[in-house]
Amino acid sequence: MLKRSEILDVAYVLLLERGYDGTSIQDIIDRINATKGCLYYHFKSKRDIAIAVIQEIIKPSYINTWGDAYKAEDPIGELCLVIDKVYNQKSRQLAKTGCPVGNLVLELSAKDKILSKHVNEVMILWQSFIEKAIKAAKSSGIIRQDLNTKNVSNFIIGSFEGCIMLSKSSHSKGILENCFSTLKDYLNSLRNDKKHS
């Protein structure tokens, strides 16, 4: 029998490529070459599959990528390294399909309260990781003390998502690279000494 994780991996790719509304149960079945019975053995509905994708693939990915930035000796430098890592590992995909969380926020926020709640949990978690890193940098005297950590972290996320959206719109890795570079310049501009790490 097909593994649950295999269904989720395929569903994740389809959600990226086609969106939630554009992905049907039949699309998933066709892609994995399985029966409806096999899929319904693991999941009750398309919504259940989407929730599992959010909780078991997308959320852990954000935890692994952003969750430890605050632990670094230089959290600002670490956030810049994370941005570089995202670009180096995912720029081609992001320029083609966009950000999984950003896509789902745009598509579902006004349509499906249950799915929107799960996506928003990831956004809140992501924001908390960045704010934690900004607070750590502030406590260490790396950045200016007058900065509002919540506002700064929200701005970073908004800029990060905006960069990906512009890149997806034009299918351009170059736009993503330049935009991410400007975002890193902003992060480094927060430093007390204004020197890049």
Side-chain angles (χ1 to χ4, degrees), residues 37-115:
C38 177
L39 189 139
Y40 284 118
Y41 174 81
H42 294 287
F43 301 99
K44 293 178 183 176
S45 65
K46 183 173 85 166
R47 179 193 274 164
D48 284 347
I49 295 171
I51 289 170
V53 166
I54 293 164
Q55 293 295 335
E56 298 174 36
I57 295 178
I58 296 175
K59 188 175 182 180
S61 171
Y62 276 73
I63 292 169
N64 291 335
T65 303
W66 300 92
D68 290 335
Y70 78 98
K71 295 178 181 177
E73 188 176 330
D74 177 7
I76 296 299
E78 187 65 23
L79 288 175
C80 290
L81 288 174
V82 169
I83 292 168
D84 283 339
K85 181 180 173 185
V86 170
Y87 179 82
N88 291 331
Q89 293 181 356
K90 299 181 180 181
S91 57
R92 187 181 305 275
Q93 174 191 319
L94 292 171
K96 181 181 177 184
T97 61
C99 168
V101 170
N103 291 348
L104 289 171
V105 166
L106 290 172
E107 184 180 7
L108 300 173
S109 60
K111 287 183 184 178
D112 189 308
K113 288 182 179 178
I114 293 172
L115 285 175

Side-chain angles (χ1 to χ4, degrees), residues 10 59 93 106 122 145 154:
V10 167
K59 188 175 182 180
Q93 174 191 319
L106 290 172
V122 178
Q145 295 301 305
N154 284 337

Side-chain angles (χ1 to χ4, degrees), residues 18-193:
R18 305 179 186 183
Y20 180 74
D21 284 344
T23 300
S24 68
I25 289 287
Q26 192 60 50
D27 291 330
I28 299 169
I29 289 167
D30 291 344
R31 186 72 66 98
I32 58 179
N33 197 22
T35 63
K36 279 190 179 180
C38 177
L39 189 139
Y40 284 118
Y41 174 81
H42 294 287
F43 301 99
K44 293 178 183 176
S45 65
K46 183 173 85 166
R47 179 193 274 164
D48 284 347
I49 295 171
I51 289 170
V53 166
I54 293 164
Q55 293 295 335
E56 298 174 36
I57 295 178
I58 296 175
K59 188 175 182 180
S61 171
Y62 276 73
I63 292 169
N64 291 335
T65 303
W66 300 92
D68 290 335
Y70 78 98
K71 295 178 181 177
E73 188 176 330
D74 177 7
I76 296 299
E78 187 65 23
L79 288 175
C80 290
L81 288 174
V82 169
I83 292 168
D84 283 339
K85 181 180 173 185
V86 170
Y87 179 82
N88 291 331
Q89 293 181 356
K90 299 181 180 181
S91 57
R92 187 181 305 275
Q93 174 191 319
L94 292 171
K96 181 181 177 184
T97 61
C99 168
V101 170
N103 291 348
L104 289 171
V105 166
L106 290 172
E107 184 180 7
L108 300 173
S109 60
K111 287 183 184 178
D112 189 308
K113 288 182 179 178
I114 293 172
L115 285 175
S116 180
K117 174 180 160 289
H118 285 277
V119 174
N120 194 45
E121 282 175 8
V122 178
M123 291 294 289
I124 291 168
L125 188 66
W126 183 20
Q127 188 276 335
S128 74
F129 291 149
I130 295 179
E131 185 171 10
K132 212 169 176 181
I134 299 298
K135 282 180 177 176
K138 198 172 176 180
S139 296
S140 301
I142 294 169
I143 61 173
R144 304 193 315 270
Q145 295 301 305
D146 62 317
L147 293 168
N148 181 305
T149 56
K150 190 170 194 67
N151 290 346
V152 169
S153 58
N154 284 337
F155 180 77
I156 291 166
I157 289 176
S159 300
F160 188 89
E161 283 295 323
C163 289
I164 294 171
M165 199 176 297
L166 286 168
S167 173
K168 179 183 176 184
S169 175
S170 59
H171 302 288
S172 169
K173 282 173 58 180
I175 285 178
L176 187 62
E177 183 178 18
N178 292 335
C179 199
F180 275 2
S181 178
T182 303
L183 178 55
K184 290 186 295 178
D185 287 344
Y186 165 74
L187 279 163
N188 281 305
S189 77
L190 304 177
R191 294 179 182 279
N192 277 320
D193 59 7

